[in-house]
Amino acid sequence: MAPSLEEPTQVDFDAPIKAAPKLVAPEPEHCPGPESLQAGNADSCAGCPNQKICASAPKGPDPDLDVIKSRLTTVKHKLLVLSGKGGVGKSTFSTMLAHAFASNPDRTIGLMDTDICGPSIPKMMGVEEESIHETAGGLEPVWVNENLAVMSIQFMLPNRDDAVIWRGPKKNGMIKRFLMGVTWGELDFLIVDTPPGTSDEHLSVNSFLKASGIDGAVLVSTPQEVSLLDVRKEIDFCRKAKIPIIGIVENMSGFVCPGCKHESQIFRPSTGGARRLAEDEKIPFLGAVPLDPRIGMACDYGESFLDAYPDSPACRAIIGVVQRVAEEMGLKGQEVLLDTEQI
Amino acid sequence: MPLDNIQNIVLVLSGKGGVGKSSITTQLALAFSLQGHSVGVLDIDLTGPSIPRFFGIEDSKVRQAPGGWLPVPVHDARTLPSPKNTNGTTSHTKNGKIGALSCMSLGFILPNRGDAVIWRGPKKTAMVRQFLTDVLWPPLDYLLIDTPPGTSDEHISLLENLLKQTNFSISPPNQLAGAVVVTTPQAISISDVKKELNFCKKTGIRVLGVVENMAGFVCPNCSECTNVFSKGGGEIMARDFDVPFLGSVPIDPAFVQLIEEGTRPVYPKGTVIEGKDISSEKNDINSAGNELLVDKYRDCSLCPLFDGIVSKLVADIRSRNQ
């Protein structure tokens, strides 16, 4: 049998999702998804051992969506940090954004790490050794300081280096738990850091947060085309999922040799970099952050780069980007960053 | 059986994204080919396929044949003209005989390069299975499988299918040779890659070795080496997990330029790597155009490094097969 070369079918973003029933066998190839409305009745369901279970499961929207919505009514702004490509600095940028927002003591920030297989946020925040406490109200997030809370699967692992070998549905369940079962409390910003790609985690975050509204997504890229290629796919994803795009940040843009101050383009922007992509796609360009080895070191040691090297060009670039993010969200830069001179 | 033509299968894994899995896969494939082996590259990164871009064959499409898909050929087996400067050559590559190289990726199937592939797990699982059963590979000495970051759907189905398919009595001995694990030197990356090593342990995949990528950057202006992403972490991790360390690969902007713009690597006068002067004159820069990627890669400073890594891998795999 020759395999088909048909165009990949796309996920229906507008379909309301319902609670996924417990399955007895892996889903078949063209499975409409056990949480979709056609579950058990689609053409591809014929012969699937799960068919009866899916068909008889209660229809209608997932009741958990309402729980998530009511849980998140106390969260003012929800921001996603996305990139199709891995290792471009999504987590680094998420932590910087969180630290910068939290520099205003009147704001409370939550940072949620939805990268289930490769969580980096706890290490970058210097809270890798923490574990989760469960209270009557739900899971308590880990507080980095008085106004900055973090949640990640890393806190739940018995050993630091354990691999989380999970298929999609299990990852979705964990993300739901992060949104539904965590006592986030009153938050001004919830920043959601995502893994690379356009798959389960992204679809779940989108469908779980849709009801309570996503303010927008910040896209992160490095300057070379290999990376931009994947970010283009992420833009396509945001458009299809109707997630507003706040803008794109170019990370690792240029490297200044500490020896001779000569600037090299390590990751050459041969196609014009993120700036050009932003123009082509008509989305805001938020700024370029140079490659500074000290950013990586600060992340390795779990320190805030913004606090450690406030005078570096990279720090100034990041503050500029954070202000642009705030402006694009319709907030005044000064309102968000208490005093840009001091951070 | 679809994988019968293949002698050895090598996976390229990393828990972390953007550490250079595809870049390492590409260079391993080129180095295998330069040593005269026939190589195939299978890209199972479905939501962010990079292999078509790395081999400069983004416009190619997969062709269908009775019974399956035909992989996209990059070059066939042939003899390369002797290189203009002899820095990259070793005893393995001197005769200029290269093995055939072909690729398979979801990128060759998508109608537009900017299209997102928004799939949940089951769909990805099915696609990975199709890639392993429905691709009509030519006879290959080595099949390199490039993976997405993480330890999830793609990886689980890849291993399930591979373990099933390489276990027949007619399969070549030790067909699933093992995995090359890629990391960068920072602690952030190492902590994710440790998870991947534990994944290999749990699933019983032999780790052929660890490659540390992006270890240091040599300033083209003053030749000072800066450890942009720190240094030495990969070697320590390999020692901790008792797996071989295959080598550190520095950042070479000339390689990035070779991939992005297709220009033959040139180095300023006085660039010396491992005791060899690899600088070259900039005179033949316009002669590029229809030269093979593998030919141009021979001038890259990373070529001798990967030649060494591949020699180690080949010796290791051969000793197991006997």
Coordinates of all heavy atoms in Angstrom, one line a residue, chain A residues 3-5 8-11 29 86-87 118-119 123-124 154 157 160-168 171-172 197-200 225-226 232-233 236 260 262 264 266 268 270 293 300, chain B residues 17-18 47-48 53 64 69 110 113-121 123-126 130 134 151-153 156 160 186-188 192 194-195 198-199 217 220-222 228 251 260-261:
Chain A
P3 N 1.8 5.0 0.7 CA 1.3 6.0 1.7 C 0.7 7.2 0.9 O 1.1 7.5 -0.2 CB 2.6 6.4 2.4 CG 3.7 6.1 1.5 CD 3.2 4.9 0.6
S4 N -0.1 7.9 1.6 CA -0.8 9.0 1.0 C 0.1 10.3 1.0 O 0.9 10.4 1.9 CB -2.1 9.3 1.7 OG -1.8 9.7 3.0
L5 N 0.0 11.1 0.1 CA 0.7 12.4 0.1 C -0.2 13.6 0.3 O 0.0 14.7 -0.2 CB 1.5 12.6 -1.2 CG 2.9 12.0 -1.2 CD1 3.6 12.2 -2.5 CD2 3.8 12.7 -0.1
P8 N -1.5 17.7 5.0 CA -1.8 17.4 6.4 C -3.1 18.1 6.9 O -3.3 19.3 6.6 CB -0.6 18.0 7.2 CG 0.4 18.2 6.2 CD -0.2 18.4 4.9
T9 N -4.0 17.3 7.5 CA -5.2 17.9 8.0 C -4.9 18.8 9.2 O -4.0 18.5 9.9 CB -6.2 16.9 8.4 OG1 -5.5 15.9 9.2 CG2 -6.8 16.2 7.2
Q10 N -5.7 19.9 9.3 CA -5.4 20.8 10.4 C -6.4 20.6 11.6 O -7.5 20.1 11.4 CB -5.5 22.2 9.9 CG -4.4 22.5 8.9 CD -3.0 22.5 9.4 OE1 -2.8 22.3 10.6 NE2 -2.0 22.5 8.5
V11 N -6.0 21.0 12.7 CA -6.8 20.9 13.9 C -7.9 22.0 13.8 O -7.6 23.1 13.4 CB -5.9 21.1 15.2 CG1 -6.8 21.1 16.4 CG2 -4.9 19.9 15.2
E29 N -4.7 6.4 13.6 CA -3.9 7.4 12.9 C -4.8 8.7 12.6 O -4.3 9.8 12.9 CB -3.5 6.8 11.5 CG -2.7 7.7 10.7 CD -2.2 7.0 9.5 OE1 -2.0 5.8 9.6 OE2 -2.0 7.7 8.5
G86 N 13.8 25.4 19.0 CA 14.3 25.2 20.4 C 15.6 26.0 20.6 O 16.3 26.3 19.6
G87 N 15.9 26.3 21.8 CA 17.2 26.9 22.2 C 17.4 28.3 21.7 O 18.6 28.7 21.5
G118 N 11.5 19.1 29.0 CA 12.8 19.8 29.2 C 12.6 21.1 29.9 O 12.9 22.2 29.4
P119 N 12.1 21.0 31.2 CA 11.9 22.3 31.9 C 13.2 23.0 32.3 O 14.1 22.4 32.8 CB 11.2 21.8 33.2 CG 11.6 20.4 33.4 CD 11.9 19.8 32.0
K123 N 15.7 26.1 37.1 CA 17.1 26.3 37.1 C 17.5 27.8 36.9 O 18.3 28.4 37.6 CB 17.9 25.4 36.1 CG 19.4 25.3 36.4 CD 20.0 24.3 35.5 CE 21.5 24.2 35.9 NZ 21.7 23.4 37.0
M124 N 16.8 28.4 35.9 CA 17.1 29.8 35.6 C 16.7 30.7 36.7 O 17.2 31.8 36.9 CB 16.4 30.2 34.3 CG 17.0 29.5 33.1 SD 16.2 30.1 31.6 CE 17.1 29.2 30.4
Q154 N 9.3 20.3 37.0 CA 10.6 19.9 37.7 C 10.4 19.8 39.2 O 11.0 18.9 39.8 CB 11.6 21.0 37.4 CG 13.0 20.8 37.9 CD 13.8 19.7 37.1 OE1 13.7 19.6 35.9 NE2 14.4 18.8 37.9
L157 N 9.4 16.2 40.3 CA 10.2 15.0 40.0 C 11.0 14.5 41.2 O 11.6 15.3 41.9 CB 11.2 15.3 38.9 CG 10.6 15.7 37.5 CD1 11.8 16.0 36.5 CD2 9.7 14.7 37.0
R160 N 16.3 14.9 40.1 CA 16.4 16.1 39.3 C 16.6 15.7 37.8 O 16.1 16.3 36.9 CB 17.7 16.8 39.7 CG 17.8 18.2 39.1 CD 18.7 19.0 40.0 NE 20.0 18.5 39.9 CZ 21.1 19.2 40.3 NH1 20.9 20.4 40.8 NH2 22.3 18.7 40.3
D161 N 17.3 14.6 37.5 CA 17.6 14.2 36.1 C 16.6 13.2 35.5 O 16.9 12.7 34.4 CB 19.0 13.7 36.0 CG 20.0 14.7 36.5 OD1 19.7 15.9 36.4 OD2 21.1 14.3 36.9
D162 N 15.5 12.9 36.2 CA 14.6 11.9 35.7 C 14.0 12.4 34.3 O 13.7 13.6 34.2 CB 13.4 11.8 36.7 CG 13.8 10.9 37.8 OD1 14.9 10.3 37.8 OD2 13.0 10.8 38.8
A163 N 13.9 11.5 33.4 CA 13.3 11.8 32.1 C 11.8 11.7 32.3 O 11.3 10.8 33.0 CB 13.8 10.8 31.0
V164 N 11.1 12.6 31.7 CA 9.6 12.5 31.7 C 9.2 12.0 30.3 O 9.2 12.7 29.3 CB 9.0 13.9 31.9 CG1 7.5 13.8 32.0 CG2 9.5 14.5 33.2
I165 N 9.0 10.7 30.3 CA 8.7 10.1 29.0 C 7.2 9.9 28.8 O 6.6 8.9 29.2 CB 9.4 8.7 28.8 CG1 10.9 8.9 29.2 CG2 9.3 8.1 27.4 CD1 11.6 7.6 29.3
W166 N 6.5 11.0 28.4 CA 5.1 11.0 28.3 C 4.6 11.3 26.9 O 5.2 12.1 26.2 CB 4.6 12.2 29.2 CG 4.6 11.9 30.6 CD1 5.1 10.8 31.2 CD2 4.2 12.8 31.7 NE1 5.0 10.9 32.6 CE2 4.4 12.1 32.9 CE3 3.6 14.0 31.7 CZ2 4.1 12.7 34.1 CZ3 3.3 14.6 32.9 CH2 3.6 13.9 34.1
R167 N 3.5 10.7 26.5 CA 2.8 11.0 25.3 C 1.9 12.3 25.5 O 1.7 12.6 26.7 CB 2.0 9.9 24.8 CG 2.9 8.7 24.2 CD 1.9 7.8 23.6 NE 2.7 6.6 23.0 CZ 3.2 6.6 21.8 NH1 3.1 7.6 21.0 NH2 3.8 5.5 21.4
G168 N 1.4 12.8 24.4 CA 0.6 14.0 24.4 C -0.4 14.1 25.5 O -0.4 15.1 26.3
K171 N 0.7 14.9 28.9 CA 1.3 16.3 29.1 C 0.1 17.3 29.2 O 0.2 18.2 30.0 CB 2.1 16.6 27.8 CG 3.4 15.8 27.7 CD 4.4 16.3 26.7 CE 4.0 16.1 25.3 NZ 5.1 16.4 24.4
N172 N -0.9 17.0 28.4 CA -2.1 17.9 28.4 C -2.7 17.9 29.8 O -3.1 19.0 30.3 CB -3.1 17.6 27.4 CG -2.6 17.6 26.0 OD1 -1.6 18.3 25.7 ND2 -3.2 16.8 25.1
G197 N 7.9 24.1 19.0 CA 7.0 23.3 18.2 C 5.6 23.9 18.1 O 5.3 24.9 18.6
T198 N 4.7 23.1 17.5 CA 3.3 23.5 17.4 C 2.5 22.2 17.6 O 1.9 21.7 16.7 CB 3.0 24.1 16.0 OG1 3.5 23.1 15.0 CG2 3.6 25.4 15.7
S199 N 2.5 21.8 18.8 CA 1.8 20.5 19.0 C 1.0 20.5 20.3 O 0.4 21.5 20.7 CB 2.9 19.4 19.1 OG 2.3 18.1 19.0
D200 N 0.9 19.3 21.0 CA 0.0 19.2 22.1 C 0.0 20.3 23.1 O -1.0 20.9 23.4 CB 0.3 17.9 22.8 CG -0.1 16.7 22.1 OD1 -1.3 16.4 22.0 OD2 0.7 16.0 21.5
E225 N 18.3 31.9 9.2 CA 17.1 31.5 8.5 C 16.6 30.1 9.0 O 15.4 29.9 9.1 CB 17.4 31.4 7.0 CG 16.3 30.9 6.1 CD 15.0 31.7 6.2 OE1 15.1 33.0 6.5 OE2 13.9 31.2 6.0
V226 N 17.5 29.2 9.5 CA 17.1 27.9 10.0 C 16.1 28.1 11.1 O 15.2 27.3 11.3 CB 18.4 27.1 10.5 CG1 18.0 25.9 11.2 CG2 19.2 26.7 9.3
R232 N 8.3 31.2 11.4 CA 7.2 31.4 10.5 C 6.1 30.4 10.7 O 4.9 30.8 10.6 CB 7.8 31.2 9.1 CG 7.8 32.5 8.3 CD 8.4 32.3 6.9 NE 9.4 33.3 6.8 CZ 10.6 33.1 6.5 NH1 11.0 31.9 6.2 NH2 11.5 34.0 6.5
K233 N 6.4 29.2 11.0 CA 5.4 28.2 11.3 C 4.6 28.6 12.5 O 3.4 28.4 12.6 CB 6.0 26.8 11.5 CG 6.6 26.3 10.2 CD 7.2 24.9 10.5 CE 8.2 24.5 9.3 NZ 7.4 24.1 8.2
D236 N 2.1 31.2 11.7 CA 1.0 30.6 11.1 C 0.1 30.0 12.1 O -1.2 30.1 12.1 CB 1.5 29.5 10.1 CG 0.4 28.9 9.3 OD1 -0.5 29.7 8.9 OD2 0.6 27.7 8.9
C260 N 38.6 42.2 21.5 CA 38.9 43.3 20.6 C 37.7 44.2 20.3 O 37.8 45.1 19.5 CB 39.5 42.8 19.3 SG 38.4 41.8 18.4
H262 N 35.3 43.7 18.5 CA 34.8 43.5 17.1 C 33.5 42.8 17.2 O 33.4 41.8 17.9 CB 35.9 42.7 16.3 CG 35.4 42.3 15.0 ND1 35.5 43.2 13.9 CD2 34.8 41.2 14.5 CE1 35.0 42.5 12.8 NE2 34.6 41.3 13.2
S264 N 30.8 40.3 15.8 CA 30.6 39.2 14.8 C 29.2 38.8 14.8 O 28.5 38.8 15.8 CB 31.4 38.0 15.2 OG 32.7 38.3 15.5
I266 N 27.5 35.8 14.7 CA 27.7 34.3 14.9 C 26.6 33.6 14.1 O 26.8 32.7 13.3 CB 27.7 33.9 16.3 CG1 28.9 34.5 17.0 CG2 27.7 32.4 16.4 CD1 29.2 34.0 18.4
R268 N 24.4 34.3 11.4 CA 24.2 35.3 10.3 C 22.8 35.5 9.9 O 22.1 34.6 9.5 CB 25.0 34.9 9.1 CG 26.5 35.3 9.2 CD 27.2 34.8 8.0 NE 26.8 35.6 6.8 CZ 27.4 36.7 6.5 NH1 28.4 37.2 7.2 NH2 27.1 37.3 5.4
S270 N 21.2 36.0 7.2 CA 21.3 36.0 5.8 C 20.1 36.4 5.0 O 20.1 36.8 3.9 CB 21.8 34.6 5.3 OG 20.9 33.7 5.6
P293 N 27.8 36.3 26.8 CA 28.0 35.1 27.5 C 27.6 35.1 29.0 O 27.2 34.1 29.6 CB 29.5 34.9 27.4 CG 30.0 35.7 26.3 CD 29.0 36.8 26.2
D300 N 22.6 29.9 34.3 CA 23.2 28.7 34.9 C 23.2 28.8 36.4 O 23.0 27.8 37.1 CB 24.6 28.4 34.3 CG 24.6 27.8 33.0 OD1 23.5 27.5 32.5 OD2 25.7 27.5 32.4
Chain B
G17 N 16.4 21.9 22.9 CA 16.2 22.3 21.5 C 17.4 23.3 21.1 O 18.0 23.9 22.0
G18 N 17.6 23.4 19.9 CA 18.6 24.4 19.4 C 20.0 24.2 19.8 O 20.8 25.1 19.7
T47 N 7.3 19.2 13.6 CA 6.8 20.6 13.7 C 7.9 21.6 13.4 O 7.5 22.8 13.2 CB 6.2 20.9 15.1 OG1 7.2 20.6 16.0 CG2 5.0 20.0 15.3
G48 N 9.1 21.2 13.2 CA 10.2 22.1 12.9 C 11.3 21.4 12.1 O 12.4 21.4 12.6
R53 N 16.7 22.5 4.8 CA 17.4 23.7 4.8 C 18.9 23.4 4.9 O 19.7 24.0 4.2 CB 17.0 24.6 5.9 CG 17.8 25.8 6.1 CD 17.2 27.0 5.4 NE 18.2 28.1 5.3 CZ 18.1 29.1 4.4 NH1 17.1 29.1 3.5 NH2 19.0 30.0 4.3
Q64 N 6.6 9.7 -5.2 CA 6.0 8.5 -4.8 C 6.3 7.4 -5.8 O 6.4 7.6 -7.0 CB 4.5 8.7 -4.8 CG 3.8 8.0 -3.6 CD 2.4 8.5 -3.4 OE1 2.0 9.6 -4.0 NE2 1.7 7.9 -2.6
W69 N 7.6 5.9 -0.5 CA 8.2 7.2 -0.8 C 9.6 7.0 -1.2 O 10.3 6.2 -0.6 CB 8.1 8.1 0.4 CG 6.8 8.7 0.7 CD1 5.8 9.0 -0.1 CD2 6.3 9.0 2.0 NE1 4.7 9.4 0.5 CE2 5.0 9.4 1.9 CE3 6.8 8.9 3.3 CZ2 4.2 9.8 2.9 CZ3 6.0 9.3 4.4 CH2 4.7 9.7 4.2
L110 N 5.4 19.2 2.7 CA 4.5 20.4 2.9 C 4.4 21.2 1.7 O 5.4 21.4 1.0 CB 5.1 21.2 4.1 CG 5.2 20.6 5.4 CD1 5.8 21.5 6.4 CD2 3.8 20.2 5.9
R113 N 6.6 26.4 2.7 CA 7.6 26.2 3.7 C 7.2 26.9 5.0 O 7.7 26.6 6.1 CB 9.0 26.7 3.3 CG 9.1 28.2 2.9 CD 10.3 28.4 2.1 NE 11.5 28.4 2.9 CZ 12.1 29.4 3.5 NH1 11.5 30.6 3.4 NH2 13.3 29.2 4.1
G114 N 6.3 27.9 5.0 CA 5.9 28.6 6.2 C 4.7 27.9 6.9 O 4.4 28.4 8.0
D115 N 4.2 26.9 6.3 CA 3.0 26.2 6.9 C 3.3 25.6 8.2 O 4.3 24.8 8.4 CB 2.4 25.2 6.0 CG 1.6 25.8 4.9 OD1 1.4 27.0 4.9 OD2 1.2 25.1 4.0
A116 N 2.5 25.8 9.2 CA 2.6 25.1 10.5 C 2.0 23.7 10.4 O 1.0 23.5 9.7 CB 2.0 25.9 11.6
V117 N 2.7 22.8 11.0 CA 2.1 21.4 11.2 C 1.6 21.3 12.6 O 2.4 21.2 13.5 CB 3.2 20.4 10.9 CG1 2.6 19.0 11.1 CG2 3.7 20.5 9.5
I118 N 0.3 21.5 12.7 CA -0.3 21.5 14.1 C -1.0 20.2 14.3 O -2.1 19.9 14.0 CB -1.3 22.7 14.2 CG1 -0.6 24.0 13.7 CG2 -1.8 22.8 15.6 CD1 -1.6 25.1 13.5
W119 N -0.2 19.3 14.9 CA -0.7 17.9 15.2 C -0.5 17.6 16.6 O 0.4 17.9 17.3 CB 0.2 16.9 14.4 CG 0.0 17.0 12.9 CD1 -1.0 17.7 12.2 CD2 0.7 16.2 11.9 NE1 -0.8 17.4 10.9 CE2 0.2 16.5 10.7 CE3 1.8 15.3 12.0 CZ2 0.7 16.0 9.5 CZ3 2.3 14.8 10.9 CH2 1.8 15.1 9.6
R120 N -1.5 16.8 17.1 CA -1.4 16.2 18.4 C -0.7 14.9 18.3 O -0.4 14.4 17.2 CB -2.8 16.0 19.0 CG -3.4 17.3 19.4 CD -4.6 17.0 20.4 NE -5.2 18.2 20.8 CZ -5.0 18.9 21.9 NH1 -4.0 18.5 22.7 NH2 -5.6 20.0 22.2
G121 N -0.4 14.3 19.4 CA 0.4 13.1 19.5 C 0.1 12.0 18.5 O 1.0 11.5 17.8
K123 N -1.3 11.7 15.7 CA -1.0 12.0 14.3 C 0.5 11.9 14.1 O 1.0 11.5 13.1 CB -1.5 13.4 14.0 CG -1.7 13.7 12.6 CD -3.1 13.5 12.1 CE -2.9 13.2 10.6 NZ -3.4 13.9 9.6
K124 N 1.3 12.5 15.1 CA 2.7 12.4 15.0 C 3.2 11.0 15.0 O 4.1 10.6 14.3 CB 3.4 13.2 16.1 CG 3.1 14.7 16.0 CD 4.0 15.6 16.9 CE 3.7 15.5 18.3 NZ 4.5 16.5 19.1
T125 N 2.6 10.2 15.9 CA 3.0 8.8 16.1 C 2.8 8.1 14.7 O 3.7 7.3 14.3 CB 2.1 8.1 17.1 OG1 2.2 8.9 18.3 CG2 2.5 6.7 17.4
A126 N 1.7 8.4 14.1 CA 1.4 7.7 12.8 C 2.4 8.1 11.7 O 2.8 7.3 10.9 CB 0.0 8.0 12.4
Q130 N 5.0 5.8 9.6 CA 5.1 5.8 8.1 C 6.5 6.0 7.6 O 6.9 5.4 6.7 CB 4.2 6.9 7.6 CG 2.8 6.4 7.3 CD 2.0 7.4 6.4 OE1 2.2 8.6 6.6 NE2 1.3 6.9 5.5
D134 N 7.5 3.2 5.3 CA 7.1 3.4 3.9 C 8.1 4.2 3.1 O 7.8 4.6 2.0 CB 5.8 4.3 3.9 CG 4.6 3.5 4.4 OD1 4.8 2.2 4.5 OD2 3.6 4.1 4.8
T151 N 11.4 14.1 25.1 CA 11.3 12.6 25.3 C 9.8 12.3 25.2 O 9.2 11.8 26.2 CB 11.8 12.2 26.7 OG1 11.3 13.1 27.6 CG2 13.3 12.4 26.7
S152 N 9.2 12.6 24.1 CA 7.7 12.5 24.0 C 7.3 11.6 22.8 O 8.0 10.7 22.4 CB 7.1 13.8 24.0 OG 5.7 13.7 24.3
D153 N 6.1 12.0 22.3 CA 5.5 11.1 21.3 C 6.5 10.6 20.2 O 6.5 9.4 19.9 CB 4.4 11.9 20.6 CG 3.2 12.2 21.6 OD1 2.5 11.3 21.9 OD2 3.1 13.3 22.0
I156 N 9.0 8.1 21.6 CA 8.4 6.8 22.0 C 8.1 6.0 20.8 O 8.4 4.8 20.7 CB 7.2 7.1 22.9 CG1 7.6 7.9 24.2 CG2 6.6 5.8 23.4 CD1 6.4 8.4 25.0
E160 N 9.7 2.4 19.8 CA 8.9 1.3 19.7 C 9.0 0.6 18.3 O 9.2 -0.6 18.2 CB 7.4 1.7 19.9 CG 7.0 1.7 21.3 CD 5.5 2.2 21.5 OE1 4.9 2.5 20.4 OE2 5.1 2.4 22.6
Q186 N 26.5 24.8 28.4 CA 25.9 25.4 29.6 C 25.1 24.4 30.5 O 24.6 23.5 30.0 CB 24.9 26.5 29.3 CG 25.0 27.4 28.2 CD 24.2 27.0 27.1 OE1 24.5 26.0 26.5 NE2 23.2 27.8 26.7
A187 N 25.0 24.8 31.8 CA 24.3 23.9 32.8 C 22.9 23.7 32.4 O 22.3 22.7 32.6 CB 24.5 24.5 34.2
I188 N 22.2 24.8 31.8 CA 20.8 24.7 31.5 C 20.6 23.6 30.5 O 19.6 22.9 30.5 CB 20.4 26.1 30.8 CG1 20.2 27.1 31.9 CG2 19.1 26.0 30.0 CD1 19.0 26.9 32.8
D192 N 18.9 19.3 30.8 CA 17.9 18.7 30.0 C 18.5 17.5 29.3 O 17.8 16.5 29.1 CB 17.4 19.7 28.9 CG 16.4 20.7 29.4 OD1 16.0 20.5 30.6 OD2 16.0 21.6 28.7
K194 N 20.7 15.5 30.4 CA 20.8 14.4 31.4 C 19.5 13.6 31.4 O 19.5 12.3 31.5 CB 21.1 14.9 32.8 CG 22.5 15.2 33.0 CD 22.7 15.7 34.4 CE 24.2 16.1 34.7 NZ 24.3 16.9 35.9
K195 N 18.4 14.3 31.2 CA 17.1 13.6 31.1 C 17.1 12.6 29.9 O 16.5 11.5 29.9 CB 16.0 14.6 31.0 CG 15.7 15.4 32.2 CD 14.5 16.3 32.1 CE 14.5 17.3 33.1 NZ 14.1 16.8 34.5
N198 N 19.0 9.5 30.6 CA 18.2 8.6 31.4 C 17.1 7.9 30.6 O 16.8 6.8 30.8 CB 17.6 9.4 32.6 CG 18.5 9.5 33.7 OD1 19.3 8.6 34.0 ND2 18.4 10.6 34.4
F199 N 16.6 8.7 29.6 CA 15.7 8.1 28.6 C 16.3 6.9 27.9 O 15.8 5.9 27.7 CB 15.2 9.2 27.6 CG 14.4 8.7 26.4 CD1 13.1 8.5 26.6 CD2 15.0 8.5 25.2 CE1 12.3 8.0 25.5 CE2 14.3 8.1 24.1 CZ 12.9 7.8 24.3
F217 N 34.0 30.2 20.6 CA 33.8 30.9 19.3 C 35.1 31.7 19.1 O 35.6 32.4 20.0 CB 32.7 31.9 19.4 CG 32.6 32.9 18.3 CD1 32.2 32.5 17.0 CD2 32.9 34.2 18.5 CE1 32.2 33.4 16.0 CE2 32.9 35.1 17.4 CZ 32.5 34.7 16.2
P220 N 36.9 36.2 14.5 CA 37.6 36.2 13.2 C 38.5 37.4 13.1 O 39.4 37.5 12.2 CB 36.5 36.3 12.2 CG 35.3 36.8 12.9 CD 35.5 36.4 14.4
N221 N 38.4 38.4 14.0 CA 39.2 39.6 13.9 C 40.5 39.4 14.7 O 41.6 39.7 14.2 CB 38.4 40.8 14.5 CG 39.0 42.1 14.2 OD1 39.6 42.3 13.2 ND2 39.0 43.0 15.2
C222 N 40.4 38.9 15.9 CA 41.6 38.8 16.8 C 42.0 37.4 17.1 O 42.9 37.2 17.9 CB 41.4 39.7 18.0 SG 40.2 39.0 19.1
V228 N 31.4 31.3 24.5 CA 30.1 32.0 24.5 C 29.1 31.3 25.4 O 28.4 31.9 26.2 CB 29.5 32.1 23.1 CG1 28.3 32.9 23.1 CG2 30.5 32.7 22.2
I251 N 32.0 26.9 17.6 CA 31.1 27.6 16.6 C 32.0 28.1 15.5 O 33.0 28.8 15.7 CB 30.4 28.8 17.3 CG1 29.6 28.4 18.4 CG2 29.6 29.6 16.3 CD1 29.1 29.6 19.3
E260 N 23.9 28.7 5.1 CA 22.9 29.7 4.8 C 23.0 30.3 3.4 O 22.1 30.7 2.8 CB 23.0 30.9 5.9 CG 22.7 30.5 7.3 CD 21.2 30.7 7.6 OE1 20.7 31.8 7.4 OE2 20.5 29.8 8.1
E261 N 24.3 30.5 3.0 CA 24.5 31.1 1.7 C 25.2 30.2 0.7 O 25.3 30.6 -0.5 CB 25.3 32.4 1.9 CG 24.5 33.5 2.6 CD 25.4 34.5 3.4 OE1 26.4 34.9 2.8 OE2 25.0 34.8 4.5

